[in-house]
mmCIF file of all heavy atoms in Angstrom:
data_model
loop_
_atom_site.group_PDB
_atom_site.id
_atom_site.type_symbol
_atom_site.label_atom_id
_atom_site.label_comp_id
_atom_site.label_asym_id
_atom_site.label_seq_id
_atom_site.Cartn_x
_atom_site.Cartn_y
_atom_site.Cartn_z
ATOM 1 N N MET J 1 51.369 -223.866 38.853
ATOM 2 C CA MET J 1 50.001 -223.644 38.530
ATOM 3 C C MET J 1 49.535 -224.177 37.231
ATOM 4 O O MET J 1 50.172 -223.837 36.173
ATOM 5 C CB MET J 1 49.578 -222.115 38.553
ATOM 6 C CG MET J 1 48.153 -221.783 38.516
ATOM 7 S SD MET J 1 47.256 -222.129 40.065
ATOM 8 C CE MET J 1 48.051 -220.908 41.147
ATOM 9 N N PRO J 2 48.630 -225.034 37.142
ATOM 10 C CA PRO J 2 48.224 -225.706 35.875
ATOM 11 C C PRO J 2 47.570 -224.734 34.952
ATOM 12 O O PRO J 2 46.920 -223.853 35.416
ATOM 13 C CB PRO J 2 47.293 -226.845 36.288
ATOM 14 C CG PRO J 2 46.760 -226.423 37.604
ATOM 15 C CD PRO J 2 47.879 -225.653 38.275
ATOM 16 N N ARG J 3 47.769 -224.860 33.679
ATOM 17 C CA ARG J 3 47.109 -224.028 32.636
ATOM 18 C C ARG J 3 45.912 -224.814 32.144
ATOM 19 O O ARG J 3 45.954 -225.922 31.896
ATOM 20 C CB ARG J 3 48.122 -223.708 31.517
ATOM 21 C CG ARG J 3 49.200 -222.895 31.864
ATOM 22 C CD ARG J 3 50.278 -222.669 30.692
ATOM 23 N NE ARG J 3 49.501 -221.934 29.594
ATOM 24 C CZ ARG J 3 49.349 -220.589 29.539
ATOM 25 N NH1 ARG J 3 49.908 -219.821 30.499
ATOM 26 N NH2 ARG J 3 48.826 -219.973 28.608
ATOM 27 N N ILE J 4 44.841 -224.026 32.076
ATOM 28 C CA ILE J 4 43.607 -224.678 31.604
ATOM 29 C C ILE J 4 43.003 -223.949 30.312
ATOM 30 O O ILE J 4 43.529 -222.818 30.030
ATOM 31 C CB ILE J 4 42.463 -224.679 32.629
ATOM 32 C CG1 ILE J 4 42.072 -223.224 33.012
ATOM 33 C CG2 ILE J 4 42.870 -225.452 33.797
ATOM 34 C CD1 ILE J 4 40.876 -223.140 33.940
ATOM 35 N N ALA J 5 42.197 -224.580 29.645
ATOM 36 C CA ALA J 5 41.576 -224.000 28.339
ATOM 37 C C ALA J 5 40.860 -222.643 28.732
ATOM 38 O O ALA J 5 40.208 -222.543 29.782
ATOM 39 C CB ALA J 5 40.662 -224.914 27.723
ATOM 40 N N GLN J 6 40.939 -221.669 27.900
ATOM 41 C CA GLN J 6 40.229 -220.403 28.028
ATOM 42 C C GLN J 6 38.674 -220.619 27.909
ATOM 43 O O GLN J 6 38.243 -221.587 27.250
ATOM 44 C CB GLN J 6 40.758 -219.390 27.028
ATOM 45 C CG GLN J 6 42.145 -218.806 27.274
ATOM 46 C CD GLN J 6 42.461 -217.654 26.233
ATOM 47 O OE1 GLN J 6 42.419 -217.976 25.147
ATOM 48 N NE2 GLN J 6 42.578 -216.577 26.768
ATOM 49 N N LYS J 113 36.320 -229.704 30.108
ATOM 50 C CA LYS J 113 37.787 -229.789 29.740
ATOM 51 C C LYS J 113 38.588 -228.999 30.826
ATOM 52 O O LYS J 113 39.657 -229.527 31.184
ATOM 53 C CB LYS J 113 37.978 -229.183 28.336
ATOM 54 C CG LYS J 113 39.412 -229.259 27.842
ATOM 55 C CD LYS J 113 39.505 -228.736 26.446
ATOM 56 C CE LYS J 113 40.954 -228.831 25.923
ATOM 57 N NZ LYS J 113 41.017 -228.280 24.527
ATOM 58 N N GLN J 114 38.090 -227.819 31.179
ATOM 59 C CA GLN J 114 38.815 -227.030 32.107
ATOM 60 C C GLN J 114 38.900 -227.754 33.568
ATOM 61 O O GLN J 114 39.975 -227.793 34.084
ATOM 62 C CB GLN J 114 38.087 -225.670 32.373
ATOM 63 C CG GLN J 114 38.199 -224.778 31.170
ATOM 64 C CD GLN J 114 37.314 -223.481 31.433
ATOM 65 O OE1 GLN J 114 36.289 -223.629 31.980
ATOM 66 N NE2 GLN J 114 37.699 -222.441 30.804
ATOM 67 N N LYS J 117 40.771 -231.480 33.640
ATOM 68 C CA LYS J 117 42.265 -231.432 33.528
ATOM 69 C C LYS J 117 42.902 -231.284 34.904
ATOM 70 O O LYS J 117 43.965 -231.770 35.170
ATOM 71 C CB LYS J 117 42.697 -230.359 32.593
ATOM 72 C CG LYS J 117 44.230 -230.266 32.465
ATOM 73 C CD LYS J 117 44.655 -229.164 31.435
ATOM 74 C CE LYS J 117 46.166 -229.171 31.370
ATOM 75 N NZ LYS J 117 46.701 -228.306 30.267
ATOM 76 N N VAL J 118 42.278 -230.500 35.800
ATOM 77 C CA VAL J 118 42.800 -230.093 37.076
ATOM 78 C C VAL J 118 42.304 -231.145 38.126
ATOM 79 O O VAL J 118 43.098 -231.694 38.950
ATOM 80 C CB VAL J 118 42.400 -228.778 37.500
ATOM 81 C CG1 VAL J 118 42.937 -228.380 38.921
ATOM 82 C CG2 VAL J 118 43.065 -227.752 36.501
ATOM 83 N N VAL J 267 41.736 -220.441 38.777
ATOM 84 C CA VAL J 267 42.434 -221.753 38.868
ATOM 85 C C VAL J 267 42.734 -222.027 40.363
ATOM 86 O O VAL J 267 42.584 -223.268 40.740
ATOM 87 C CB VAL J 267 43.721 -221.782 37.982
ATOM 88 C CG1 VAL J 267 44.369 -223.215 38.231
ATOM 89 C CG2 VAL J 267 43.392 -221.538 36.608
ATOM 90 N N LEU J 270 39.703 -223.423 41.804
ATOM 91 C CA LEU J 270 39.479 -224.760 41.235
ATOM 92 C C LEU J 270 40.297 -225.893 42.008
ATOM 93 O O LEU J 270 39.805 -226.974 42.262
ATOM 94 C CB LEU J 270 39.736 -224.843 39.739
ATOM 95 C CG LEU J 270 39.417 -226.074 39.020
ATOM 96 C CD1 LEU J 270 37.930 -226.555 39.239
ATOM 97 C CD2 LEU J 270 39.741 -225.970 37.523
#
Side-chain angles (χ1 to χ4, degrees):
M1 188 73 64
R3 294 178 62 86
I4 63 173
Q6 286 185 303
K113 184 177 180 181
Q114 291 172 328
K117 179 173 181 178
V118 176
V267 180
L270 182 57

